[in-house]
Structures are given as structure tokens and as C-alpha cells.
Amino acid sequence: MTGGTVGVVLVSHSREVADSAAALAVALAGAGPDAPVAAAGGTPDGGLGTSSELIAGAAAAVDRGAGVAVLVDLGSAVLTVKALLAEGDELPPDTRLVDAPFLEGAIAAVVTASAGGGLDAVEAAASEAYGYRKA
């Protein structure tokens, strides 16, 4: 890994959910419009589902040389990202599937990346979101 900011990709079965989660994370992080965060939601035709093309495109768009953290919502999104990682040539180097709750993890990941945290720190912050208590 070289310098740069860790990119974050949010993969949801819904374009609207992915876009909204990305917008919320960027706003709460105070990251600004050029934050390396991208949504990859739904299918290319706007339907529900996941798309390896959209995921790969989003990862390429946020790659700044410091790695890419990918957070997903549900089952087939996990499978799609795992398949892309297994292929080895469709995602940027140092792309990681992060085991974290989708929304809380996204916010923690973007905050940490925006503060200059490396890929390990971004993954740890997102994963720690499993422990956030609400009551």
C-alpha cells in the first residue's frame, strides 16, 4: 500500500439504500464531496439485486492507493464480493470485504478513513460497530 485515503464501497440490494447510506456516512463524517466513498446498489437496470459490474466500478472509483473497504447488506452481496475477490483481477489491490453492520459500519468506516486511518483501522472501526448499544 502507498499513500492516499482508504476508499469505502457500500453494496446494497437497493440503489436507494446504498446511495442514502453513502450520503449519510459522508455527511456525518464531514468528509466532503470528494470523499472516496461509493455506492454500488441494485442492478444496472435499477432493479433489486447485486451487480459485480457496479461493485467493481465503485471500487475502482474510490481507489486512492491505500486499499478499499467493502461493506455489504445481505447474503448475495457477500457472495458477489467474495467471487470478485476470488477472481483477483476485477477489484483494486488491497480490497477487503469487511464484516460489519451495514449502516453503523459504513459511518465508522468513512469517519476513520476520512481521519486518515489505514485499511486495518477502517476495518476495525467498522467491525466494532457490532458492539454499538442502542438501549
Side-chain angles (χ1 to χ4, degrees):
M1 259 185 315
T2 59
T5 303
V6 172
V8 178
V9 174
L10 304 178
V11 180
S12 173
H13 284 69
S14 164
R15 178 177 295 161
E16 293 81 6
V17 168
D19 288 345
S20 294
L24 180 62
V26 168
L28 291 177
D34 61 346
V37 179
T43 60
D45 65 0
L48 293 176
T50 56
S51 163
S52 58
E53 295 169 19
L54 293 177
I55 295 166
V62 301
D63 181 23
R64 303 288 190 276
V68 176
V70 181
L71 288 86
V72 300
D73 63 358
L74 302 169
S76 67
V78 174
L79 297 175
T80 302
V81 173
K82 283 184 175 182
L84 285 167
L85 288 168
E87 290 174 18
D89 62 348
E90 295 198 44
L91 296 175
D94 297 318
T95 296
R96 245 182 238 176
L97 175 59
V98 175
D99 183 15
F102 187 67
L103 183 58
E104 294 92 336
I107 294 166
V110 173
V111 166
T112 304
S114 296
L119 187 55
D120 289 340
V122 169
E123 180 177 28
S127 296
E128 287 171 9
Y130 274 124
Y132 294 174
R133 303 295 308 163
K134 297 176 183 168

